[in-house]
Amino acid sequence: MKIGAKLICFYISEHYPVTRFGRSFQAEEIPLPVFYNRGEEPREGCFYIARTQDLPQISHVECLFVCTGNRPAHIGSSWKGEVLYAADRTLDIFVLFNFIITFFDRISRWDRTMQELLAKSAPVEEFVRASLPVFENCITITDYDLRILVTSEVKEEPAGRRHVVLDERFDRIPNKVIMTFVNTHRERVHIREPFLYKGQRENPEGENYCINLHLGDNYLGTCTLWSKLRPMRESDFLLFQQFAAYIQRVLCAQSRISPTQIVTLKSIISDLLQCFPVSKGDLHWAMDLLQKNMEFQGVTLGCWHCIVILSANREKTLPESYLCTLLEDMLPHSTVVAYEEQMVCYCMIPDGENCEDTVCDILLPYLRDMNFRAGISAPFQDILKARDYYLQAHAILDTGYHLSREQHIYRFEDYILPYMLWHCSGTFETELILSPGLEKLRTMSGGVDYLDTLRRYLDNECNASKTAQELYLHRSSLLPRLDKIKTLVNLDTPEERLYLRICLTLLDMMEKKK
C-alpha cells in the first residue's frame, strides 16, 4: 500500500502540532524514513528525520524532511523540498523516528493482510474484520441493491471501554430505516468522488464518509466509514480510499463469476418484458437449473404467476432494487425485476401447491405494512409469455384498485369479469351500451326498487316463486311488478337475459367507482 507524503503529514499532525515549510511534496509513495546527517547532500525522493539545527541551508531536490527541535528560520520559497516541523520541543528525534516507523509497519502489515485475502478470494467481511483496528470506527459495505454485505457496531465492555466489532445480527437494512438510507445513499450513487455528509438517523453524532464503487458505468455498491467511536481524522480519508479500492476489486471479481440461475432468469425476464429476443439455449439452461434447485428442495416445477406490485403512495421514491431483492428472499422460487416504476415478480408455484398459500398469505402482511397493492395473473406454464401475463396482472391491479381500494391483493379470477365488462363497450362510453329500459326502471316511483327486483329475478333463473320468497312477497304481489319490468326490457331469450345481467353488473361497478 502506498504511503505518501500527504498521509504522513496528516498522521503526524493528528498527534503533534505541525507547521509546513517549503514547497509541498506531492509524492504518492515515499520510502522508509532515514536519519539525516548534518552536511549530507539531500537526495531526490528521500524521506529524512532530522533535528532542525541539522537541516541543510538549502535543498535543491524534491524530498521530505520531518524535524523536531527549535523552529526552523532559514527555509524560504527557494527550498525545493518540503519540511514538516513537529512543534514540540520536548519531542526526541528517536521517539519521532520510532513513531513514524511504527505507522509504516502497521500500514504495511494491513496491506499484506489485504493482499493475502484478495489472493484467496476471501469474503468481504474478512476485509472489514482486518481493517477495523486501522480505522477504529464502524464500516458498512452495501451492494448495488442496498443489501448490507457487512456492517460493524460499537461494543460496550463492562470496564467502560468501547471497540468496534462485526455486526452479525442482520444482512439487510431494516424496513424502518430504508427510506432514510435511500435519502443519504441512493441519491448519490452516481457520484464518482468520495463524499462526506453529516450523520442523521444512521449516525446522528458524527460524520459519514462514503465512497461509491463502480465497474465501468455500473454501480457496484458503497463503502461507508461511520464516525461512531471517535471523530474522523484526515488520514482516515486517504486510508479508506485504499480500503475501498480493495473492496472494489472484490466486488468486480464477484461480478465476473458465472451467473446463478436466478440472475439468468432475471436477465431473460427483463428481455421478455422489453420484447427483446431470447436465446432458447439460455432459457433451457436457466429452467434446467431452476428445476434442479427445486428438486433439491423436494418440490417439482408447477406453474408461474406474474405479480405486479405498485405503491399506493405514489409521491414517495421507491427503492426498487432493494425491494425487488427483498421480495425474492420473501417468496420462494421467485424472480423480481423493476420495470416501468413497478416491481414485477414471476413466482414459480411448485406442483401440488396453490397461489393462496405460497404467495398471498406471505405477501399480504408485507403489502399492508408498505401500503402497496399487487395484481396477480392467472397461472401459466410458458415463461416466454412473461410479457402477456405481466399485462394481465397489470390490468387486474388497475381494475381491482379502482373497485376495491381497501384491498391489497387483486387476483385474476376475482377481477377478470369486471375487467371484461369495463372493456366490453369498446370505443363507446359505457352508458351508451346500457339498456335504455334500465334507466327508466331506476327512476320509476311508487316505493318499489324495480332494478333490485329484476336482479333477483335473473339470479333465480326467472323463477317467480323463488324471487317472491326472497323479497318476502306473495307471488301475486310480484307478478304485477314483473309485468311492468317486461314492458321496458326483453326477458324472452337467454341472450337478452345475459345482456341485462351484464348491464346490471356494469351499473354496480359504476356505482362503486364513484
Side-chain angles (χ1 to χ4, degrees), residues 6-287:
K6 185 182 294 186
L7 180 59
I8 287 295
C9 178
F10 289 154
Y11 179 68
I12 297 174
S13 62
E14 288 159 6
H15 298 81
Y16 304 102
V18 170
T19 305
R20 304 176 70 173
F21 297 92
R23 300 181 188 178
S24 179
F25 186 54
Q26 300 295 334
E28 295 184 0
E29 184 173 13
I30 57 176
L32 286 170
V34 295
F35 285 111
Y36 176 76
N37 297 313
R38 180 184 295 185
E40 179 184 349
E41 186 67 26
R43 289 177 292 173
E44 186 82 17
C46 282
F47 177 17
Y48 296 106
I49 307 294
R51 298 181 178 86
T52 52
Q53 60 267 31
D54 294 334
L55 289 174
Q57 291 297 315
I58 189 69
S59 174
H60 299 288
V61 297
E62 291 189 359
C63 60
L64 177 66
F65 282 91
V66 174
C67 62
T68 184
N70 295 323
R71 181 183 178 89
H74 61 280
I75 299 173
S77 58
S78 58
W79 186 286
K80 196 170 182 180
E82 182 172 13
V83 175
L84 302 179
Y85 169 56
D88 184 343
R89 295 185 181 182
T90 63
L91 178 60
D92 182 80
I93 189 172
F94 297 102
V95 173
L96 178 60
F97 181 85
N98 290 333
F99 169 74
I100 295 174
I101 287 293
T102 301
F103 176 70
F104 265 84
D105 183 59
R106 179 164 62 95
I107 300 303
S108 297
R109 280 189 282 108
W110 175 50
D111 183 48
R112 285 195 300 271
T113 301
M114 302 292 272
Q115 292 281 2
E116 292 168 0
L117 293 173
L118 193 64
K120 64 182 183 181
S121 301
V124 176
E125 55 264 31
E126 293 304 316
F127 287 83
V128 175
R129 194 190 309 275
S131 303
L132 292 178
V134 174
F135 295 102
E136 299 174 321
N137 255 324
C138 295
I139 297 173
T140 297
I141 300 175
T142 55
D143 67 6
Y144 62 92
D145 64 3
L146 298 183
R147 182 197 301 265
I148 293 184
L149 300 178
V150 61
T151 189
S152 50
E153 62 174 348
V154 176
K155 183 177 181 180
E156 301 279 352
E157 293 186 346
R161 293 184 59 218
R162 304 168 74 208
H163 64 282
V164 182
V165 296
L166 286 185
D167 188 349
E168 308 287 353
R169 292 176 301 175
F170 59 83
D171 64 350
R172 288 191 177 279
I173 303 167
N175 286 341
K176 63 183 180 180
V177 300
I178 180 61
M179 293 311 299
T180 303
F181 195 93
V182 169
N183 290 337
T184 56
H185 285 72
R186 192 166 178 77
E187 292 178 359
R188 301 178 171 94
V189 298
H190 300 296
I191 300 177
R192 293 288 181 145
E193 298 297 325
F195 58 92
L196 190 69
Y197 67 90
K198 288 288 184 181
Q200 299 172 5
R201 228 164 129 181
E202 308 96 330
N203 183 25
E205 299 177 357
E207 293 180 319
N208 310 306
Y209 185 57
C210 294
I211 300 177
N212 290 329
L213 311 176
H214 293 84
L215 175 58
D217 294 331
N218 298 319
Y219 170 70
L220 295 176
T222 300
C223 295
T224 303
L225 182 64
W226 315 82
S227 58
K228 290 185 178 181
L229 190 60
R230 59 166 176 75
M232 212 80 75
R233 299 185 296 218
E234 291 286 350
S235 61
D236 290 337
F237 302 141
L238 294 178
L239 291 173
F240 200 65
Q241 290 174 31
Q242 301 276 12
F243 169 81
Y246 275 109
I247 301 303
Q248 181 167 6
R249 291 173 68 180
V250 174
L251 297 184
C252 286
Q254 292 177 355
S255 71
R256 291 192 291 270
I257 296 174
S258 298
T260 63
Q261 136 266 341
I262 200 70
V263 172
T264 303
L265 277 179
K266 184 171 291 189
S267 63
I268 288 173
I269 286 171
S270 296
D271 288 345
L272 291 171
L273 285 174
Q274 299 176 73
C275 300
F276 294 155
V278 170
S279 163
K280 289 184 179 180
D282 289 346
L283 178 60
H284 175 76
W285 184 77
M287 291 302 298

Side-chain angles (χ1 to χ4, degrees), residues 289-321:
L289 283 176
L290 176 60
Q291 182 176 355
K292 290 179 180 178
N293 182 50
M294 293 180 67
E295 288 175 352
F296 179 77
Q297 298 178 43
V299 294
T300 57
L301 290 176
C303 59
W304 292 101
H305 281 272
C306 178
I307 308 168
V308 176
I309 299 176
L310 188 65
S311 170
N313 196 354
R314 297 300 300 277
E315 69 270 12
K316 286 188 178 180
T317 302
L318 292 177
E320 291 173 339
S321 58

